[in-house]
Amino acid sequence: MRTRNSMSWTAIFIAAAILGLAAWHYWPPGKVESMRVDGGRHLKFRTAGEQLEIYRNGGWRPFFAKGVNLGATLPGHDPGELPIDRATYERWFGMMAEMGANVVRVYTIQKPVFYQALVKYNQKHADRPLYFIQGVWSPEEAFRETGDALSEQARTAFRKEIADAVGAVYGSVTLPERPGKASGKYTVNAAPYLVAWHIGTEWDPELVVKTNKLHRNEPPYRGRYFQAKPDASPFESMIAEMIDTVAAGESGKGWLHPQTFTNWVTTDPLTHPGELLNNEDLVSVDPTHMEPVHWQAGYFASYHVYPYYPDFFRIDPTLMNVKDGQGRPDTYRAYLRKLKAYHRGMPVMVTEFGVPSSIGLAHLGNLGRDQGGHDEKEQGQIDAALYKEIVEEHFAGAILFSWQDEWFKKTWNTMHFELPAERRKYWLNVLTNEKMFGVLGMYPGKEGVLSVDGNLDDWDKLPKDDKMQWDQPAPGWNRITVTHDEAYVYVAAELTENFAPDREILHLGIDTLPGGNRHGTAMGNRKLDEGLETMITLGNDRESGIRIAADYDFHQRLYGQRYGMIPVGKEEKADDSGVFNPWKLAVGLKLEPPDARRTYPFEEVEVGRFRRGTTDPNSPDYNTLALWQASGRVVELRIPWMLMGFTDPSSLQVMAYGGKDLKSVKTEGIRLVPWIEKRAGGGIVGLGDGNSVYRVTDLPRYRWNSWNSVRYNERPKQSYEIMKDVYHQVPPP
């Protein structure tokens, strides 16, 4: 009898220990204050009316999500490699909190170290934790293969991704090694710090239309926790089903969290009379067409909203009625107001907003809020203005895009020029704006080593094998020194006399390939034995910049010769035309029916102008877009790789000649061809005496080895400090 009782008590003890361990795992005692609801489950966040609420100090309080989107990668890596370690996450979480963020959003399942670092950080900072929003990535491969979001293949893949995400957040799954996916043993329960689930990605409107057609007769989804309303489309039913799957997955884990799904302006439920492209106003994915059935944490709408895309933000007459403080139309605020009004009665969060700090730009926006073309200070000022408008229009949150710069990214108007495409991660193309949305800068290897400021003391500290020095390269030039990193070629020139832009213009020709211009207006009567692909001019602010040989100009080759959107003169197709074109990027394609609602002209902007200034962050004249500076006899510049024709400097690839065909070829290096043009009388100093052909082929080449790993320097941008101010002030913490 005594033995039986001992066994019974042992069993009871073991069972109690298991229950206690489970209780600690799903709700760490003393760590996170929460409210108990049905079934003993915990609630930390919920929706209430048009806002989110947080349970704090024994009651429910309004919660505005002021946050930042976190990417999964570092320079030199693709996102699927997930290279960020635990120490980096912990350090970044501290910087995010210092900036004033209370939420970090991730798009997909992260490695276990992310959740470990977040829980550890929050346990150390229990008074001001950093919460997170967990995304669940769409099964894009299944979507592409089937063209049907409700295919069994797509639904199975989506449900599997959801199950894995729930397991990762709750620390109750081991994920095997999979290409491009997170893996490992997840043992830490991060659910007490979860604000909401955020499923899906920006929806392809053609996928939505096709899914709706294929399943037009299917009834709306009815789930245990969420359902589609009678007026829901089949695609919206799919989303309701997946949200219900998330809810079902965590319903037995001890916590309930608000639910939302990714949406963007392209598939919003509004109509846009000013939209030009049919696809940008083709179909809606409407959050009001689904609802919770029995989910006490609630449900809200979320959108990615940028001020420059789609293009109707500049031209839609229905958005011109809201004015800013100077009486100018503020189309971003007008759109926010319409979006909020449509979703009356439910919370709406802007889960992406922002502009990049880059030389390149891809879309023009209202009030100068372009997609690129901003220095870091301008980036911060625009981001802060957008944030204030989101707050003032009574949204439930604003999540800035993004935390860190991401070198692997591409954008539509430079992707054809980055060859081979798979090597984008190894260099920083400052013409690709998508790479530079972060408030945490990921700068190339010479950042902090060289400053473009007209002082060459930092050049003297470079190892001899990290630079090429060329003494007395041409009349008027005493010395030229060259080096490079992952973003630029740096040139330090010492002249024989002080540089006086009012009296002279400096020219620096660049030769990377056989071909190009062997004569030109800026060369006077001089002739070269080998042509120039590009030519740099340094003078006053209006004329300083880089131009590209007309027959080499791959912008006009693509949009002129291949697509016929811009005129191309016969002389521009000829070798040695002598014409150097301004370096341009497309920002809007020529549109015509039936693809567009009406005809719209091709749009392009010049990006080859060189801004004078300093790149020393400690200087009051610091400007992150500065490309050159002069002081006395010293002229210092940094040249973005692509502006010289490079498609991938890490493998020494430059754009080849060949008309409308765009392909890369390996270069043997860079020849620099210096000369001086005198303003009075237009005399040329250099390039020989004019009586014989100047031998470019006798000049030295700057050469370097290919690279498969990168050096980079991380530093908060000026925009970080500006967002820090606005996050701490609006709304009050």
Side-chain angles (χ1 to χ4, degrees):
M1 189 64 143
R2 207 163 32 201
T3 302
R4 281 184 189 170
N5 284 339
S6 297
M7 291 176 64
S8 298
W9 281 110
T10 300
I12 291 171
F13 176 80
I14 292 172
I18 292 172
L19 288 172
L21 182 62
W24 179 88
H25 180 78
Y26 289 120
W27 185 56
K31 300 297 183 183
V32 178
E33 181 186 17
S34 61
M35 178 181 179
R36 291 277 189 114
V37 294
D38 292 349
R41 293 174 292 185
H42 294 273
L43 207 59
K44 179 67 178 178
F45 293 94
R46 72 179 186 185
T47 61
E50 296 186 353
Q51 65 184 10
L52 266 66
E53 292 184 334
I54 183 172
Y55 192 78
R56 188 166 52 203
N57 299 326
W60 290 100
R61 308 284 187 268
F63 180 82
F64 183 89
K66 47 182 178 178
V68 64
N69 286 279
L70 175 64
T73 192
L74 295 170
H77 297 274
D78 290 315
E81 297 177 52
L82 298 162
I84 306 170
D85 60 25
R86 179 169 171 170
T88 299
Y89 278 130
E90 287 191 45
R91 178 168 53 82
W92 283 1
F93 294 154
M95 295 171 69
M96 292 173 189
E98 183 181 349
M99 188 177 75
N102 57 18
V103 171
V104 56
R105 177 192 174 205
V106 291
Y107 293 87
T108 188
I109 304 166
Q110 305 299 299
K111 291 193 304 184
V113 292
F114 169 83
Y115 305 98
Q116 294 165 5
L118 186 67
V119 170
K120 181 180 178 181
Y121 174 85
N122 285 337
Q123 288 175 341
K124 287 182 178 179
H125 303 85
D127 56 331
R128 289 185 69 86
L130 181 69
Y131 299 104
F132 77 110
I133 293 174
Q134 177 66 54
V136 180
W137 203 256
S138 299
E140 293 184 326
E141 184 176 346
F143 285 172
R144 283 194 301 269
E145 290 178 358
T146 66
D148 178 7
L150 275 168
S151 68
E152 192 54 39
Q153 178 182 343
R155 292 164 73 191
T156 298
F158 215 154
R159 287 193 292 261
K160 176 65 167 62
E161 189 73 12
I162 288 168
D164 290 345
V166 171
V169 167
Y170 280 89
S172 59
V173 71
T174 298
L175 299 179
E177 292 281 345
R178 301 164 297 172
K181 297 273 191 178
S183 61
K185 189 174 184 179
Y186 294 78
T187 58
V188 172
N189 180 21
Y193 303 107
L194 181 65
V195 174
W197 292 96
H198 199 300
I199 74 163
T201 46
E202 295 174 343
W203 310 115
D204 175 6
E206 292 185 357
L207 172 69
V208 178
V209 169
K210 187 173 181 181
T211 300
N212 290 342
K213 287 181 178 178
L214 289 171
H215 301 274
R216 63 172 65 90
N217 296 321
E218 289 191 20
Y221 175 79
R222 298 287 186 268
R224 180 176 179 183
Y225 303 103
F226 282 84
Q227 67 182 15
K229 293 180 180 179
D231 53 354
S233 70
F235 193 89
E236 291 161 353
S237 275
M238 180 276 295
I239 295 175
E241 178 185 351
M242 295 306 150
I243 291 176
D244 190 57
T245 302
V246 177
E250 78 163 356
S251 63
K253 302 278 190 185
W255 287 82
L256 306 177
H257 297 96
Q259 306 274 358
T260 190
F261 69 89
T262 304
N263 211 352
W264 61 326
V265 177
T266 296
T267 54
D268 71 12
L270 307 179
T271 57
H272 309 293
E275 178 53 53
L276 297 169
L277 283 170
N278 295 327
N279 266 18
E280 292 297 342
D281 205 16
L282 182 64
V283 67
S284 294
V285 179
D286 192 336
T288 69
H289 288 173
M290 54 202 83
E291 61 186 350
V293 179
H294 183 67
W295 193 252
Q296 290 167 282
Y299 162 73
F300 63 96
S302 63
Y303 289 88
H304 299 168
V305 187
Y306 294 93
Y308 46 74
Y309 185 82
D311 287 322
F312 72 75
F313 274 100
R314 283 190 295 140
I315 58 179
D316 194 328
T318 68
L319 298 179
M320 300 296 174
N321 58 329
V322 177
K323 310 293 184 181
D324 69 359
Q326 300 178 46
R328 301 171 299 178
D330 184 343
T331 60
Y332 190 75
R333 186 186 290 271
Y335 176 81
L336 291 177
R337 196 165 292 177
K338 285 190 172 189
L339 190 68
K340 185 69 170 59
Y342 183 89
H343 296 80
R344 185 171 288 108
M346 69 184 300
V348 188
M349 191 181 295
V350 176
T351 47
E352 278 190 18
F353 72 97
V355 299
S357 61
S358 60
I359 289 176
L361 65 162
H363 289 96
L364 301 177
N366 173 244
L367 298 178
R369 296 165 171 176
D370 305 331
Q371 187 183 357
H374 308 293
D375 62 35
E376 291 175 3
K377 185 177 180 181
E378 293 166 346
Q379 177 196 30
Q381 291 169 337
I382 294 171
D383 286 352
L386 299 176
Y387 172 77
K388 288 179 182 178
E389 293 191 4
I390 294 166
V391 172
E392 291 165 358
E393 294 302 320
H394 308 293
F395 281 72
I399 314 296
L400 178 68
F401 186 84
S402 63
W403 174 243
Q404 83 271 36
D405 289 340
E406 297 180 288
W407 290 12
F408 80 95
K409 288 285 187 71
K410 63 182 178 181
T411 195
W412 72 275
N413 63 354
T414 58
M415 59 189 290
H416 298 291
F417 310 146
E418 294 171 328
L419 306 169
E422 65 272 13
R423 296 188 63 85
R424 288 190 183 102
K425 60 188 175 183
Y426 293 127
W427 63 295
L428 176 59
N429 183 6
V430 296
L431 298 190
T432 299
N433 70 87
E434 288 281 353
K435 297 175 183 286
M436 305 179 74
F437 268 92
V439 291
L440 184 66
M442 296 293 171
Y443 301 93
K446 289 292 194 298
E447 177 76 13
V449 177
L450 293 180
S451 294
V452 175
D453 56 6
N455 185 317
L456 302 187
D457 290 347
D458 45 5
W459 284 79
D460 296 336
K461 299 175 184 177
L462 289 179
K464 288 186 178 180
D465 61 359
D466 193 23
K467 59 188 176 183
M468 182 192 82
Q469 185 169 298
W470 182 17
D471 294 326
Q472 297 180 333
W477 303 72
N478 190 42
R479 181 179 295 114
I480 291 178
T481 310
V482 188
T483 189
H484 74 278
D485 65 12
E486 293 81 356
Y488 305 98
V489 169
Y490 298 80
V491 178
E494 299 171 73
L495 306 175
T496 56
E497 298 180 0
N498 289 346
F499 177 47
D502 58 329
R503 299 195 304 268
E504 61 194 1
I505 304 170
L506 301 183
H507 295 288
L508 200 61
I510 298 173
D511 170 42
T512 58
L513 286 173
N517 284 333
R518 298 183 293 279
H519 77 287
T521 303
M523 302 179 211
N525 65 343
R526 305 301 202 264
K527 303 287 185 181
L528 314 179
D529 74 330
E530 180 54 80
L532 306 178
E533 279 65 53
T534 52
M535 180 183 67
I536 295 170
T537 297
L538 300 178
N540 59 43
D541 291 342
R542 179 180 51 82
E543 62 196 356
S544 297
I546 190 168
R547 299 170 76 89
I548 187 167
D551 67 322
Y552 189 61
D553 182 356
F554 34 95
H555 167 75
Q556 71 91 359
R557 287 161 60 188
L558 179 64
Y559 296 108
Q561 296 186 46
R562 180 183 294 183
Y563 296 137
M565 293 187 178
I566 53 177
V568 180
K570 183 178 180 180
E571 71 282 359
E572 292 184 282
K573 299 179 184 180
D575 178 49
D576 190 25
S577 67
V579 176
F580 286 93
N581 289 340
W583 223 112
K584 295 181 178 181
L585 282 177
V587 291
L589 299 180
K590 182 178 180 181
L591 303 176
E592 295 177 328
D595 296 324
R597 293 173 175 175
R598 60 184 183 274
T599 300
Y600 200 77
F602 182 82
E603 293 181 295
E604 57 188 0
V605 294
E606 186 175 347
V607 292
R609 298 192 178 218
F610 277 21
R611 185 178 299 193
R612 186 172 177 175
T614 177
T615 64
D616 178 3
N618 298 314
S619 168
D621 298 323
Y622 173 59
N623 189 298
T624 54
L625 299 188
L627 294 180
W628 77 288
Q629 185 56 280
S631 178
R633 295 188 297 114
V634 171
V635 177
E636 194 174 7
L637 64 155
R638 57 179 186 171
I639 314 163
W641 284 107
M642 183 162 280
L643 290 181
M644 294 183 291
F646 280 83
T647 67
D648 172 35
S650 71
S651 60
L652 283 75
Q653 296 290 308
V654 294
M655 188 67 73
Y657 286 90
K660 63 182 180 181
D661 296 324
L662 300 182
K663 58 184 179 180
S664 65
V665 63
K666 191 170 184 177
T667 180
E668 295 182 22
I670 298 171
R671 290 193 183 103
L672 299 178
V673 185
W675 73 95
I676 300 172
E677 180 183 355
K678 296 295 185 179
R679 292 191 187 275
I684 300 297
V685 179
L687 301 181
D689 57 12
N691 295 320
S692 59
V693 173
Y694 182 72
R695 292 188 57 80
V696 172
T697 51
D698 288 343
L699 301 180
R701 292 184 190 269
Y702 177 67
R703 304 175 189 267
W704 62 98
N705 296 323
S706 61
W707 67 82
N708 293 308
S709 60
V710 304
R711 294 173 299 166
Y712 69 94
N713 295 283
E714 170 199 305
R715 175 169 50 80
K717 297 180 182 179
Q718 290 173 302
S719 53
Y720 172 93
E721 296 297 331
I722 295 171
M723 291 306 296
K724 178 179 177 180
D725 288 342
V726 75
Y727 269 9
H728 280 284
Q729 296 171 13
V730 183

